[in-house]
Amino acid sequence: MKALVRSLCELLNRGETVVVATVVESAGSTPRSSGAKMIVRANGSIIGTVGGGLVEAMTCRDGLALLQAGDGAARLIFVNLTSSLAAESDMICGGGLSVLLETVEPGGSCAIAYARLDNCMRRGVRTALETRLEEADTLRTMHHAVLDAPAKNSIAFERQAGIMRLVEPFIPPSSLYIFGAGHVSLFTARVGAMTGFRTVVLDDRADFANRERFPEADEVVVLPTFAGCCDGLNVSGNDFVVIVTRGHLHDRTVLAETLRTPAGYVGMIGSRSKRDKIYASLLEDGFTRQDMDRCHCPIGLPIGAHTPEEIAVSIGAELISARAGMSK
């Protein structure tokens, strides 16, 4: 969802009007559940998916028709996946989907709401998008609002007295905090963003920690010092920390700060001899062997990586593996 919201905002910022399709209700055996989203562009291309096959084809067709009409309307369509239709489209499923198609124009209320959602997801803030529509021959959007995220992570869709109300939670992905903004960090941030992490790069050098070097990152933070570097980050057990600073002393400082948080994954670059020296120093300062066992060092899967790009791939692979283990 982070990637789709980001792509939508980029298209709108370029002045492009699109249709956003959202599965709001599903019944029976269907290829995608409620909340699945897809962007339909005027050139016929799509971003995201509402299930492929027949569902996607009908959604694209009606989305393009909505764009061509140019009236800024929204419509609710129903895709009936009976056994015969499912068989004809090579889909082993049946049932049906209600899909909301909404025209999103640059500068409109929906575009403004999605820009706020993007900002909140970059900062790791849970939110929800409320969409109210008036039911007529077509449905026209009346109101968009960004709300505090509800307790449940599923969407809510209601129809009553000609008014339709859709509330979609937008939950930021796990945060990946990368301490250090050098060459390895540069490519690790790209891998992290590409694989769906909320990626935050932190360093004490503004010449390195900046948007120009890290355009894919959700946040880039210039620290006054690595001491206290985790203060205010609200690191949780679902979050990941990668330590790739420019020197052993800074790595030790960041590791000490990180081990005071409940981070679910902590990884540090370096040789085993460097690791052992840092661990011995921390043990002298009162940390325990159990604390040291939380740290993955040398970081990354052992794939024979040497270049910064290769090291970033090995780190990314270990992060994906650790994330998969957390979700079991």
Side-chain angles (χ1 to χ4, degrees):
M1 192 60 70
K2 180 189 102 166
L4 187 138
V5 171
R6 191 73 43 80
S7 296
L8 175 59
C9 291
E10 289 172 356
L11 293 174
L12 294 169
N13 288 338
R14 295 203 296 261
E16 186 172 334
T17 297
V18 300
V19 163
V20 173
T22 306
V23 177
V24 295
E25 292 177 313
S26 60
S29 176
T30 57
R32 296 289 283 184
S33 59
S34 299
K37 299 180 84 70
M38 184 174 79
I39 300 168
V40 181
R41 303 176 64 189
N43 63 7
S45 65
I46 61 172
I47 299 172
T49 181
V50 290
L54 181 65
V55 178
E56 209 135 283
M58 293 183 67
T59 301
C60 286
R61 180 198 66 190
D62 290 0
L64 284 172
L66 201 59
L67 283 172
Q68 291 165 3
D71 57 6
R75 292 188 178 90
L76 188 69
I77 65 172
F78 182 74
V79 183
N80 184 16
L81 295 172
T82 64
S83 297
S84 58
L85 281 174
E88 290 172 5
S89 59
D90 295 326
M91 299 172 71
I92 306 174
C93 59
L97 294 172
S98 293
V99 183
L100 175 64
L101 303 177
E102 184 176 7
T103 305
V104 184
E105 300 172 320
S109 67
C110 190
I112 293 170
Y114 271 104
R116 289 187 60 195
L117 288 173
D118 182 42
N119 180 263
C120 287
M121 294 186 79
R122 286 179 183 273
R123 294 184 290 113
V125 178
R126 292 166 56 99
T127 52
L129 175 63
E130 180 188 64
T131 304
R132 290 180 179 269
L133 305 112
E134 181 179 2
E135 197 164 16
D137 293 336
T138 61
L139 298 171
R140 292 187 178 275
T141 301
M142 295 177 62
H143 179 68
H144 292 92
V146 177
L147 313 172
D148 291 337
K152 293 184 178 180
N153 289 344
S154 56
I155 75 167
F157 182 63
E158 304 168 352
R159 284 190 262 187
Q160 187 176 9
I163 300 295
M164 302 174 66
R165 179 175 178 265
L166 172 66
V167 178
E168 304 170 81
F170 284 80
I171 312 302
S174 296
S175 295
L176 169 60
Y177 296 102
I178 304 174
F179 288 94
H183 294 306
V184 172
S185 177
L186 185 66
F187 297 104
T188 302
R190 293 179 186 176
V191 172
M194 180 178 65
T195 51
F197 289 93
R198 172 183 169 260
T199 306
V200 183
V201 178
L202 308 97
D203 202 302
D204 61 349
R205 301 167 295 173
D207 288 346
F208 286 79
N210 56 67
R211 280 285 176 196
E212 289 70 30
R213 273 177 59 79
F214 293 94
E216 302 92 350
D218 291 282
E219 286 191 87
V220 181
V221 179
V222 180
L223 298 166
T225 173
F226 283 111
C229 59
C230 292
D231 294 349
L233 294 182
N234 296 318
V235 178
S236 76
N238 294 321
D239 294 334
F240 297 68
V241 172
V242 169
I243 304 171
V244 286
T245 76
R246 62 187 180 277
H248 294 190
L249 181 60
H250 294 312
D251 285 347
R252 182 201 182 281
T253 300
V254 175
L255 180 58
E257 298 286 348
T258 300
L259 291 177
R260 297 187 180 102
T261 76
Y265 172 95
V266 179
M268 182 174 68
I269 200 168
S271 65
R272 288 177 173 81
S273 60
K274 165 197 165 178
R275 173 197 65 191
D276 293 343
K277 290 177 182 177
I278 289 177
Y279 284 8
S281 174
L282 292 176
L283 289 169
E284 290 178 359
D285 282 355
F287 286 92
T288 67
R289 177 54 59 182
Q290 187 176 9
D291 292 328
M292 301 303 106
D293 290 342
R294 292 178 57 198
C295 184
H296 297 253
C297 184
I299 194 173
L301 296 186
I303 59 174
H306 295 288
T307 67
E309 295 89 339
E310 291 172 343
I311 294 170
V313 170
S314 74
I315 292 173
E318 186 166 276
L319 295 175
I320 292 168
S321 177
R323 182 173 60 184
M326 288 181 188
S327 64
K328 290 181 180 178

